[in-house]
Amino acid sequence: MDVINLTKDNFQSQIDHGVTLVDFWSTWETQLPIIGELATEYKHRAVIAKLNVDEEKEIAAEYKVTSIPTVMVFKDGYMVESMVGPQTGETLRQKINLYIALGETC
């Protein structure tokens, strides 16, 4: 599965179900190599997505994204984690795994 590019047209539908990790990025700051690896690793278990804050300013403002990169984890439509600054692949895996596991126990 590829990294999903989020826009105002598909943002809500993508975060509504299951676990979704969103990389809020800009052309001058990104975590895309790690994000791409996660998309391959978590296909069928979580959605890995990116949102360009320069193009989708309203969504970035709604979630109070003021620093890039910011990575958020959504669970069934709700933001459950927000991480500002570069994150390691291991940190992101731990967060995704946590919310996948919580979904399995509910």
Side-chain angles (χ1 to χ4, degrees):
M1 177 181 283
D2 293 328
V3 176
I4 295 173
N5 187 39
L6 298 177
T7 66
K8 65 181 180 229
D9 297 327
N10 68 353
F11 183 83
Q12 194 62 47
S13 66
Q14 288 297 321
I15 68 165
D16 269 348
H17 303 286
V19 176
T20 305
L21 181 135
V22 179
D23 176 23
F24 290 83
W25 69 284
S26 176
T27 55
W28 47 270
E29 185 68 52
T30 184
Q31 288 204 167
L32 286 180
I34 292 169
I35 300 301
E37 292 171 17
L38 294 173
T40 300
E41 186 175 334
Y42 284 94
K43 65 182 175 185
H44 309 301
R45 295 189 301 151
V47 172
I48 309 300
K50 62 182 181 173
L51 183 130
N52 184 322
V53 297
D54 296 324
E55 295 174 1
E56 301 297 338
K57 293 177 180 167
E58 289 178 16
I59 296 172
E62 178 181 346
Y63 286 94
K64 298 175 177 49
V65 175
T66 57
S67 296
I68 302 300
T70 292
V71 177
M72 293 184 184
V73 180
F74 293 83
K75 175 77 171 122
D76 297 328
Y78 296 95
M79 195 268 295
V80 292
E81 288 278 342
S82 180
M83 298 162 274
V84 178
Q87 303 297 316
T88 66
E90 186 55 35
T91 297
L92 297 176
R93 283 180 187 89
Q94 288 173 356
K95 299 297 183 180
I96 294 168
N97 290 337
L98 170 66
Y99 292 104
I100 289 172
L102 287 174
E104 292 170 354
T105 60
C106 292

XYZ file of all heavy atoms in Angstrom:
842
model
N 0.847 -1.178 0.000
C 0.000 0.000 0.000
C 0.890 1.237 0.000
O 1.872 1.301 0.703
C -0.901 -0.007 1.237
C -1.768 1.230 1.355
S -2.808 1.244 2.831
C -4.071 0.121 2.320
N 0.529 2.186 -0.785
C 1.263 3.436 -0.846
C 0.809 4.387 0.246
O -0.265 4.224 0.829
C 1.040 4.102 -2.203
C 1.666 3.313 -3.339
O 2.704 2.660 -3.108
O 1.118 3.350 -4.452
N 1.621 5.394 0.488
C 1.228 6.472 1.393
C 0.065 7.215 0.725
O 0.128 7.547 -0.452
C 2.409 7.431 1.643
C 1.973 8.600 2.503
C 3.579 6.701 2.277
N -0.974 7.462 1.477
C -2.149 8.145 0.938
C -1.973 9.645 1.094
O -1.626 10.131 2.171
C -3.421 7.664 1.660
C -3.638 6.186 1.350
C -4.634 8.504 1.251
C -4.756 5.556 2.124
N -2.203 10.369 0.020
C -2.120 11.824 0.034
C -3.481 12.372 0.467
O -4.486 12.150 -0.198
C -1.742 12.349 -1.351
C -1.477 13.832 -1.335
O -0.888 14.357 -0.388
N -1.904 14.518 -2.370
N -3.515 13.064 1.591
C -4.760 13.591 2.127
C -5.020 15.009 1.652
O -4.104 15.823 1.561
C -4.742 13.562 3.654
C -4.625 12.189 4.293
C -4.551 12.310 5.807
C -5.786 11.296 3.880
N -6.278 15.285 1.394
C -6.754 16.618 1.032
C -8.048 16.865 1.799
O -8.565 15.962 2.469
C -7.054 16.720 -0.481
O -8.165 15.859 -0.787
C -5.835 16.345 -1.320
N -8.595 18.051 1.649
C -9.865 18.348 2.313
C -10.977 17.418 1.828
O -11.935 17.163 2.543
C -10.247 19.812 2.124
C -10.537 20.176 0.685
C -10.895 21.645 0.549
C -11.176 21.931 -0.911
N -10.519 23.058 -1.450
N -10.834 16.883 0.622
C -11.865 16.015 0.062
C -11.868 14.605 0.645
O -12.899 13.935 0.625
C -11.720 15.931 -1.460
C -11.932 17.280 -2.127
O -12.737 18.084 -1.612
O -11.277 17.538 -3.163
N -10.734 14.118 1.130
C -10.687 12.730 1.619
C -10.191 12.591 3.058
O -10.127 11.481 3.576
C -9.831 11.862 0.689
C -8.360 12.206 0.718
O -7.934 13.183 1.333
N -7.560 11.410 0.036
N -9.844 13.688 3.708
C -9.255 13.615 5.036
C -10.158 12.869 6.025
O -9.754 11.886 6.632
C -8.935 15.022 5.574
C -8.253 15.009 6.909
C -6.882 14.827 6.996
C -8.971 15.167 8.088
C -6.242 14.803 8.227
C -8.338 15.150 9.314
C -6.966 14.967 9.386
N -11.391 13.320 6.166
C -12.274 12.735 7.179
C -12.569 11.267 6.885
O -12.540 10.437 7.789
C -13.579 13.528 7.290
C -14.377 13.181 8.520
C -13.636 13.500 9.818
O -13.075 14.580 9.990
N -13.626 12.556 10.742
N -12.810 10.935 5.647
C -13.126 9.543 5.325
C -11.940 8.618 5.581
O -12.128 7.448 5.925
C -13.600 9.409 3.872
O -12.566 9.716 2.964
N -10.728 9.134 5.462
C -9.550 8.304 5.701
C -9.279 8.091 7.191
O -8.771 7.049 7.575
C -8.311 8.909 5.036
C -8.304 8.789 3.539
C -8.273 7.352 3.062
O -7.597 6.501 3.624
N -9.021 7.075 2.025
N -9.600 9.065 8.024
C -9.308 8.915 9.458
C -10.456 8.306 10.243
O -10.302 7.972 11.409
C -8.887 10.256 10.113
C -10.047 11.241 10.159
C -7.664 10.838 9.415
C -9.815 12.416 11.089
N -11.613 8.137 9.616
C -12.817 7.702 10.326
C -12.766 6.290 10.883
O -13.439 6.001 11.867
C -14.044 7.823 9.425
C -14.719 9.184 9.567
O -14.382 9.925 10.508
O -15.574 9.496 8.730
N -12.022 5.379 10.273
C -12.067 3.971 10.683
C -10.669 3.428 10.898
O -9.778 3.627 10.073
C -12.785 3.133 9.623
C -14.167 3.625 9.344
N -15.203 3.436 10.228
C -14.679 4.317 8.313
C -16.299 3.990 9.737
N -16.001 4.534 8.571
N -10.488 2.751 12.016
C -9.212 2.109 12.292
C -8.140 3.096 12.701
O -8.419 4.213 13.144
N -6.892 2.685 12.526
C -5.729 3.480 12.906
C -5.166 4.162 11.666
O -4.922 3.508 10.650
C -4.643 2.590 13.557
C -3.392 3.393 13.862
C -5.193 1.931 14.815
N -4.968 5.470 11.769
C -4.390 6.244 10.670
C -3.277 7.114 11.219
O -3.484 7.878 12.164
C -5.442 7.153 10.009
O -6.553 6.354 9.586
C -4.849 7.878 8.808
N -2.091 6.992 10.649
C -0.967 7.859 10.990
C -0.874 8.909 9.893
O -0.841 8.568 8.708
C 0.325 7.064 11.073
C 1.542 7.902 11.450
C 2.358 7.178 12.513
C 2.408 8.189 10.234
N -0.872 10.185 10.288
C -0.808 11.290 9.319
C 0.458 12.098 9.560
O 0.689 12.597 10.655
C -2.045 12.213 9.424
C -1.932 13.356 8.419
C -3.328 11.425 9.204
N 1.258 12.220 8.512
C 2.447 13.058 8.513
C 2.050 14.414 7.943
O 1.739 14.532 6.756
C 3.541 12.417 7.657
C 4.791 13.274 7.527
O 5.025 14.134 8.388
O 5.538 13.069 6.542
N 1.976 15.436 8.801
C 1.734 16.809 8.355
C 3.088 17.358 7.922
O 3.994 17.494 8.744
C 1.158 17.647 9.499
C -0.252 17.275 9.863
C -0.499 16.215 10.715
C -1.322 17.994 9.361
C -1.797 15.875 11.074
C -2.630 17.660 9.701
C -2.865 16.592 10.561
N 3.224 17.645 6.645
C 4.536 17.981 6.102
C 4.465 19.205 5.202
O 3.395 19.703 4.878
C 5.111 16.797 5.332
C 4.364 16.504 4.051
C 3.148 15.897 3.938
C 4.775 16.840 2.749
N 2.780 15.817 2.632
C 3.760 16.390 1.868
C 5.899 17.460 2.210
C 3.841 16.562 0.486
C 5.977 17.628 0.845
C 4.966 17.181 -0.004
N 5.639 19.656 4.801
C 5.782 20.750 3.850
C 6.937 20.394 2.917
O 7.740 19.518 3.235
C 6.094 22.044 4.599
O 6.317 23.095 3.692
N 7.029 21.072 1.814
C 8.102 20.779 0.866
C 9.479 21.018 1.478
O 10.458 20.433 1.033
C 7.961 21.618 -0.412
O 7.901 23.006 -0.043
C 6.709 21.245 -1.177
N 9.551 21.842 2.511
C 10.852 22.135 3.118
C 11.156 21.275 4.342
O 12.236 21.349 4.908
C 10.968 23.622 3.474
C 9.775 24.164 4.182
C 8.661 24.736 3.623
C 9.531 24.170 5.593
N 7.750 25.087 4.598
C 8.261 24.757 5.818
C 10.259 23.739 6.694
C 7.718 24.918 7.084
C 9.703 23.904 7.956
C 8.461 24.490 8.129
N 10.220 20.431 4.768
C 10.468 19.553 5.920
C 9.543 18.355 5.835
O 8.334 18.492 5.767
C 10.222 20.300 7.227
C 10.558 19.521 8.469
C 12.041 19.258 8.640
O 12.821 20.207 8.573
O 12.396 18.091 8.840
N 10.126 17.172 5.856
C 9.315 15.975 5.702
C 9.959 14.770 6.371
O 11.155 14.759 6.607
C 9.066 15.687 4.208
O 8.203 14.562 4.101
C 10.351 15.411 3.466
N 9.163 13.775 6.658
C 9.634 12.492 7.170
C 9.287 11.383 6.178
O 9.163 10.237 6.548
C 8.953 12.180 8.513
C 9.441 13.023 9.615
C 9.239 12.364 10.968
O 9.795 12.839 11.921
N 8.518 11.300 11.103
N 9.108 11.723 4.918
C 8.564 10.777 3.950
C 9.306 9.457 3.814
O 8.661 8.434 3.620
C 8.408 11.448 2.586
C 7.239 12.434 2.512
C 7.159 13.062 1.131
C 5.935 11.774 2.857
N 10.625 9.373 3.908
C 11.239 8.047 3.790
C 10.728 7.075 4.853
O 10.375 5.937 4.537
C 12.736 8.326 3.948
C 12.897 9.732 3.481
C 11.630 10.433 3.936
N 10.629 7.508 6.084
C 10.120 6.661 7.158
C 8.642 6.362 6.915
O 8.187 5.231 7.089
C 10.316 7.334 8.539
C 11.789 7.420 8.879
C 9.548 6.590 9.620
C 12.103 8.297 10.068
N 7.897 7.359 6.500
C 6.466 7.201 6.268
C 6.230 6.169 5.165
O 5.344 5.315 5.277
C 5.813 8.561 5.928
C 6.006 9.561 7.086
C 4.349 8.398 5.572
C 5.448 9.130 8.404
N 7.023 6.202 4.121
C 6.896 5.220 3.047
C 7.158 3.802 3.520
O 6.456 2.863 3.133
N 8.160 3.639 4.374
C 8.459 2.320 4.936
C 7.280 1.799 5.761
O 6.920 0.623 5.686
C 9.702 2.383 5.828
C 10.992 2.645 5.098
C 12.155 2.909 6.049
O 12.038 2.580 7.258
O 13.167 3.459 5.583
N 6.687 2.683 6.546
C 5.557 2.280 7.382
C 4.342 1.884 6.536
O 3.614 0.961 6.887
C 5.183 3.403 8.349
C 6.224 3.743 9.404
C 5.802 4.986 10.181
C 6.470 2.584 10.340
N 4.129 2.589 5.423
C 2.999 2.257 4.542
C 3.122 0.835 4.028
O 2.136 0.089 3.992
C 2.925 3.247 3.387
N 4.323 0.431 3.669
C 4.544 -0.934 3.199
C 4.379 -1.931 4.345
O 3.726 -2.963 4.201
C 5.952 -1.058 2.589
O 6.046 -0.150 1.481
C 6.229 -2.469 2.113
N 4.949 -1.606 5.474
C 4.934 -2.504 6.626
C 3.538 -2.717 7.212
O 3.205 -3.815 7.656
C 5.859 -1.932 7.701
C 6.069 -2.809 8.886
C 7.085 -2.225 9.857
O 7.958 -1.434 9.424
O 6.998 -2.560 11.035
N 2.716 -1.683 7.217
C 1.412 -1.758 7.882
C 0.228 -1.883 6.924
O -0.915 -1.739 7.356
C 1.213 -0.551 8.804
C 2.008 -0.696 10.064
C 3.280 -0.150 10.166
C 1.519 -1.408 11.138
C 4.036 -0.302 11.318
C 2.258 -1.569 12.298
C 3.518 -1.010 12.374
O 4.258 -1.167 13.521
N 0.485 -2.179 5.656
C -0.648 -2.301 4.729
C -1.632 -3.323 5.277
O -1.241 -4.315 5.892
C -0.170 -2.667 3.327
C 0.469 -4.021 3.201
C 0.937 -4.247 1.793
C 1.701 -5.566 1.724
N 2.263 -5.763 0.415
N -2.900 -3.028 5.143
C -4.013 -3.845 5.622
C -4.209 -3.779 7.138
O -5.153 -4.361 7.647
C -3.883 -5.305 5.183
C -3.650 -5.480 3.726
N -4.536 -5.023 2.774
C -2.622 -6.037 3.044
C -4.071 -5.303 1.576
N -2.913 -5.905 1.702
N -3.320 -3.110 7.884
C -3.502 -3.013 9.341
C -3.688 -1.577 9.803
O -4.275 -1.332 10.848
C -2.310 -3.635 10.073
C -2.204 -5.121 9.819
C -1.184 -5.788 10.689
N 0.140 -5.215 10.485
C 1.083 -5.178 11.419
N 0.862 -5.673 12.613
N 2.258 -4.659 11.151
N -3.148 -0.621 9.060
C -3.273 0.796 9.412
C -3.108 1.617 8.134
O -2.475 1.177 7.181
C -2.212 1.207 10.431
N -3.672 2.801 8.145
C -3.523 3.726 7.019
C -2.355 4.655 7.345
O -2.286 5.210 8.448
C -4.815 4.543 6.798
C -4.597 5.635 5.759
C -5.956 3.625 6.402
N -1.448 4.789 6.409
C -0.324 5.708 6.559
C -0.525 6.798 5.506
O -0.637 6.506 4.313
C 1.030 4.993 6.352
C 1.133 3.734 7.225
C 2.172 5.964 6.610
C 1.025 3.970 8.723
N -0.590 8.046 5.968
C -0.965 9.132 5.074
C -0.095 10.363 5.308
O 0.597 10.470 6.314
C -2.438 9.475 5.285
N -0.185 11.279 4.358
C 0.530 12.550 4.473
C -0.412 13.676 4.070
O -1.324 13.482 3.266
C 1.782 12.552 3.597
C 1.477 12.400 2.124
C 2.745 12.358 1.290
C 2.392 12.233 -0.183
N 3.545 12.342 -1.037
N -0.184 14.837 4.674
C -0.973 16.009 4.359
C -0.031 17.192 4.226
O 0.708 17.515 5.162
C -2.002 16.282 5.457
C -2.912 17.458 5.155
C -4.364 17.074 5.359
C -2.552 18.665 5.992
N -0.034 17.815 3.058
C 0.815 18.974 2.794
C 0.161 20.204 3.429
O -0.904 20.638 2.997
C 0.986 19.159 1.284
C 1.943 20.279 0.941
O 1.979 21.312 1.595
N 2.714 20.081 -0.108
N 0.791 20.743 4.459
C 0.202 21.867 5.197
C 0.151 23.145 4.372
O -0.671 24.020 4.652
C 0.930 22.123 6.542
C 0.799 20.923 7.461
C 2.382 22.499 6.331
N 1.003 23.269 3.355
C 0.967 24.452 2.499
C -0.268 24.437 1.600
O -0.807 25.484 1.255
C 2.237 24.542 1.649
C 3.474 24.735 2.497
O 3.393 25.446 3.525
O 4.526 24.160 2.150
N -0.714 23.250 1.224
C -1.876 23.112 0.353
C -3.183 22.956 1.124
O -4.247 23.275 0.613
C -1.685 21.909 -0.573
C -0.535 22.088 -1.541
C -0.248 20.845 -2.362
O -0.960 19.822 -2.190
O 0.690 20.888 -3.179
N -3.107 22.449 2.340
C -4.313 22.183 3.147
C -4.238 22.941 4.472
O -4.250 22.373 5.555
C -4.459 20.676 3.379
C -4.565 19.861 2.109
C -5.805 20.174 1.275
O -6.799 20.697 1.829
O -5.785 19.889 0.068
N -4.175 24.256 4.361
C -3.997 25.118 5.533
C -5.152 25.022 6.528
O -4.940 25.112 7.735
C -3.798 26.559 5.081
C -2.496 26.759 4.344
C -2.323 28.167 3.842
C -0.978 28.222 3.122
N -0.759 29.370 2.352
N -6.376 24.817 6.044
C -7.521 24.753 6.947
C -7.439 23.532 7.872
O -7.717 23.637 9.067
C -8.821 24.722 6.154
C -9.140 26.039 5.485
C -10.408 25.977 4.660
O -11.217 25.038 4.819
O -10.601 26.905 3.847
N -7.056 22.398 7.324
C -6.938 21.195 8.150
C -5.787 21.352 9.139
O -5.914 21.010 10.311
C -6.753 19.933 7.280
C -8.001 19.712 6.423
C -6.469 18.714 8.151
C -7.853 18.620 5.389
N -4.665 21.893 8.666
C -3.527 22.112 9.557
C -3.921 23.048 10.703
O -3.568 22.805 11.859
C -2.349 22.682 8.777
N -4.676 24.073 10.407
C -5.121 25.006 11.449
C -6.102 24.326 12.404
O -6.032 24.533 13.621
C -5.768 26.234 10.817
N -6.996 23.512 11.876
C -7.975 22.811 12.718
C -7.279 21.941 13.762
O -7.718 21.858 14.904
C -8.876 21.942 11.845
C -9.884 21.140 12.619
C -10.754 20.265 11.732
O -10.764 20.460 10.500
O -11.426 19.384 12.284
N -6.160 21.311 13.374
C -5.431 20.438 14.297
C -4.247 21.149 14.952
O -3.415 20.517 15.580
C -5.001 19.161 13.572
C -6.190 18.260 13.346
C -6.896 18.298 12.158
C -6.641 17.426 14.365
C -8.021 17.508 11.967
C -7.762 16.639 14.185
C -8.446 16.686 12.977
O -9.565 15.907 12.806
N -4.204 22.471 14.813
C -3.210 23.322 15.472
C -1.774 22.900 15.166
O -0.911 22.884 16.046
C -3.469 23.366 16.978
C -4.829 23.963 17.308
C -5.128 23.901 18.775
C -6.420 24.527 19.161
N -7.611 24.196 18.430
N -1.536 22.576 13.899
C -0.185 22.215 13.460
C 0.581 23.510 13.244
O 0.257 24.296 12.357
C -0.219 21.373 12.164
C 1.191 21.110 11.661
C -0.973 20.075 12.411
N 1.594 23.731 14.087
C 2.394 24.954 13.983
C 3.863 24.659 13.700
O 4.616 25.570 13.385
C 2.288 25.793 15.272
O 2.708 24.993 16.378
C 0.860 26.266 15.487
N 4.266 23.408 13.844
C 5.645 23.006 13.573
C 5.638 21.816 12.630
O 4.766 20.952 12.710
C 6.370 22.613 14.860
O 6.483 23.717 15.721
N 6.636 21.784 11.772
C 6.760 20.712 10.785
C 8.094 20.022 11.009
O 9.091 20.701 11.193
C 6.694 21.293 9.355
C 5.373 22.042 9.150
C 6.863 20.223 8.309
C 4.139 21.201 9.319
N 8.159 18.697 10.982
C 7.031 17.803 10.791
C 6.248 17.600 12.082
O 6.793 17.673 13.171
C 7.680 16.491 10.352
C 9.029 16.498 11.008
C 9.443 17.948 11.047
N 4.968 17.370 11.923
C 4.096 16.921 12.997
C 3.458 15.629 12.517
O 3.006 15.550 11.378
C 3.005 17.959 13.319
O 3.614 19.114 13.899
C 1.973 17.412 14.284
N 3.440 14.641 13.365
C 2.810 13.364 13.036
C 1.709 13.129 14.059
O 1.928 13.282 15.258
C 3.827 12.199 13.069
C 3.146 10.873 12.804
C 4.945 12.448 12.066
N 0.529 12.785 13.553
C -0.600 12.490 14.432
C -1.117 11.093 14.140
O -1.091 10.643 13.003
C -1.729 13.501 14.243
C -1.367 14.884 14.696
S -2.772 16.001 14.565
C -1.977 17.538 15.041
N -1.610 10.454 15.191
C -2.265 9.162 15.053
C -3.737 9.370 15.365
O -4.089 9.966 16.379
C -1.656 8.108 15.998
C -2.375 6.766 15.828
C -0.160 7.946 15.750
N -4.576 8.883 14.458
C -6.021 8.944 14.626
C -6.544 7.527 14.822
O -6.059 6.591 14.195
C -6.687 9.556 13.390
C -6.345 11.005 13.195
C -5.169 11.379 12.562
C -7.199 11.996 13.645
C -4.839 12.717 12.381
C -6.878 13.338 13.476
C -5.698 13.695 12.837
N -7.520 7.390 15.690
C -8.170 6.101 15.929
C -9.664 6.317 15.788
O -10.260 7.086 16.551
C -7.810 5.581 17.328
C -8.531 4.313 17.714
C -7.927 3.114 17.032
C -8.527 1.846 17.611
N -9.160 1.029 16.642
N -10.250 5.688 14.782
C -11.693 5.787 14.534
C -12.193 7.228 14.522
O -13.229 7.551 15.111
C -12.474 4.948 15.552
C -12.150 3.466 15.423
O -11.868 3.010 14.294
O -12.163 2.760 16.448
N -11.440 8.104 13.859
C -11.854 9.491 13.677
C -11.381 10.468 14.727
O -11.591 11.673 14.593
N -10.737 9.984 15.770
C -10.272 10.866 16.854
C -8.756 10.905 16.890
O -8.100 9.870 16.805
C -10.787 10.373 18.215
C -12.284 10.431 18.322
C -13.050 9.311 18.047
C -12.916 11.615 18.676
C -14.437 9.364 18.132
C -14.304 11.668 18.767
C -15.055 10.547 18.487
O -16.417 10.601 18.562
N -8.203 12.097 17.071
C -6.761 12.237 17.213
C -6.381 11.745 18.604
O -6.916 12.225 19.607
C -6.338 13.696 17.021
C -4.848 13.868 16.791
S -3.914 14.145 18.292
C -4.558 15.712 18.797
N -5.480 10.745 18.657
C -5.108 10.148 19.937
C -3.650 10.395 20.315
O -3.271 10.201 21.465
C -5.418 8.629 19.959
C -6.920 8.397 19.937
C -4.746 7.902 18.806
N -2.837 10.795 19.349
C -1.422 11.113 19.610
C -0.996 12.238 18.680
O -1.394 12.269 17.514
C -0.511 9.921 19.307
C -0.573 8.791 20.267
C 0.271 8.997 21.519
O 1.177 9.857 21.528
O 0.017 8.271 22.489
N -0.161 13.117 19.191
C 0.442 14.167 18.380
C 1.915 14.256 18.750
O 2.248 14.384 19.927
C -0.251 15.503 18.634
O 0.341 16.514 17.842
N 2.770 14.156 17.739
C 4.215 14.196 17.957
C 4.808 15.275 17.062
O 4.616 15.240 15.846
C 4.832 12.832 17.620
C 4.300 11.704 18.501
S 4.610 10.079 17.783
C 3.163 9.930 16.722
N 5.517 16.215 17.667
C 6.100 17.324 16.931
C 7.599 17.089 16.775
O 8.269 16.701 17.730
C 5.831 18.661 17.655
C 6.492 19.820 16.916
C 4.338 18.899 17.791
N 8.087 17.326 15.575
C 9.505 17.144 15.285
C 9.765 15.781 14.669
O 8.882 14.924 14.636
N 10.964 15.584 14.187
C 11.298 14.296 13.562
C 11.138 13.147 14.557
O 11.507 13.270 15.719
C 12.764 14.469 13.149
C 12.984 15.941 13.093
C 12.078 16.534 14.130
N 10.573 12.062 14.085
C 10.364 10.872 14.909
C 11.108 9.699 14.291
O 11.229 9.607 13.073
C 8.870 10.531 14.989
C 8.011 11.647 15.518
C 8.344 12.024 16.944
O 8.536 11.163 17.796
N 8.421 13.321 17.210
N 11.553 8.793 15.116
C 12.209 7.595 14.597
C 11.141 6.619 14.116
O 9.990 6.655 14.556
C 13.060 6.904 15.677
O 12.184 6.405 16.696
C 14.103 7.852 16.264
N 11.556 5.732 13.238
C 10.659 4.682 12.791
C 10.167 3.844 13.951
O 9.000 3.452 14.003
N 11.041 3.571 14.899
C 10.662 2.746 16.049
C 9.590 3.429 16.897
O 8.633 2.783 17.335
C 11.888 2.423 16.907
C 11.598 1.457 18.027
C 10.962 0.145 17.564
O 11.287 -0.349 16.464
O 10.112 -0.388 18.306
N 9.710 4.714 17.115
C 8.693 5.447 17.873
C 7.341 5.374 17.171
O 6.315 5.107 17.799
C 9.106 6.920 18.067
O 10.295 6.965 18.841
C 8.017 7.732 18.747
N 7.348 5.592 15.871
C 6.099 5.556 15.120
C 5.501 4.154 15.118
O 4.290 3.988 15.266
C 6.322 6.067 13.697
C 6.770 7.534 13.611
C 7.067 7.914 12.175
C 5.742 8.472 14.223
N 6.337 3.129 14.998
C 5.848 1.742 15.056
C 5.201 1.452 16.411
O 4.153 0.817 16.476
C 6.996 0.764 14.810
C 7.400 0.655 13.368
C 8.562 -0.337 13.190
N 9.031 -0.293 11.833
C 9.979 0.524 11.367
N 10.580 1.375 12.187
N 10.324 0.502 10.102
N 5.821 1.912 17.494
C 5.267 1.688 18.827
C 3.886 2.317 18.955
O 2.964 1.709 19.511
C 6.206 2.238 19.902
C 7.460 1.433 20.079
C 8.438 2.108 21.039
O 8.219 3.208 21.516
N 9.545 1.421 21.316
N 3.731 3.528 18.445
C 2.436 4.220 18.531
C 1.383 3.495 17.699
O 0.259 3.264 18.161
C 2.561 5.679 18.073
C 3.522 6.509 18.892
C 3.082 6.635 20.327
C 4.043 7.538 21.083
N 3.678 7.708 22.474
N 1.730 3.125 16.474
C 0.780 2.419 15.615
C 0.383 1.092 16.257
O -0.804 0.761 16.341
C 1.376 2.188 14.213
C 1.593 3.522 13.492
C 0.463 1.274 13.380
C 2.440 3.403 12.241
N 1.369 0.335 16.723
C 1.092 -0.967 17.336
C 0.193 -0.829 18.556
O -0.686 -1.662 18.792
C 2.392 -1.687 17.705
C 3.145 -2.157 16.490
O 2.575 -2.345 15.410
N 4.447 -2.342 16.642
N 0.428 0.204 19.358
C -0.396 0.426 20.540
C -1.867 0.570 20.159
O -2.733 -0.078 20.738
C 0.074 1.685 21.280
C -0.831 2.173 22.410
C -0.868 1.169 23.548
C -0.380 3.541 22.892
N -2.162 1.417 19.180
C -3.549 1.671 18.835
C -4.180 0.537 18.034
O -5.384 0.316 18.133
C -3.686 3.040 18.155
C -3.399 4.112 19.171
C -2.189 4.797 19.180
C -4.316 4.375 20.186
C -1.918 5.740 20.155
C -4.054 5.319 21.157
C -2.849 5.994 21.140
O -2.578 6.913 22.113
N -3.388 -0.211 17.293
C -3.901 -1.434 16.666
C -4.302 -2.416 17.762
O -5.382 -2.999 17.735
C -2.877 -2.052 15.703
C -2.719 -1.184 14.447
C -3.294 -3.465 15.309
C -1.593 -1.625 13.522
N -3.435 -2.598 18.750
C -3.710 -3.531 19.854
C -4.929 -3.106 20.652
O -5.751 -3.936 21.038
C -2.485 -3.657 20.771
N -5.075 -1.818 20.906
C -6.253 -1.337 21.639
C -7.534 -1.623 20.869
O -8.553 -1.959 21.462
C -6.135 0.163 21.921
C -5.121 0.555 22.997
C -5.000 2.070 23.071
C -5.510 -0.022 24.339
N -7.474 -1.526 19.561
C -8.645 -1.824 18.742
C -9.016 -3.292 18.793
O -10.188 -3.664 18.727
N -8.017 -4.143 18.935
C -8.274 -5.584 18.974
C -8.867 -6.015 20.302
O -9.525 -7.031 20.384
C -6.975 -6.349 18.705
C -6.470 -6.170 17.278
C -5.082 -6.700 17.049
O -4.418 -7.116 18.018
O -4.652 -6.705 15.892
N -8.641 -5.231 21.363
C -9.133 -5.619 22.688
C -10.496 -5.009 23.001
O -11.085 -5.328 24.012
C -8.137 -5.208 23.797
O -7.965 -3.786 23.772
C -6.818 -5.916 23.616
N -10.967 -4.101 22.166
C -12.261 -3.437 22.437
C -13.423 -4.332 22.036
O -13.413 -5.083 21.164
C -12.341 -2.126 21.666
S -11.163 -0.909 22.282
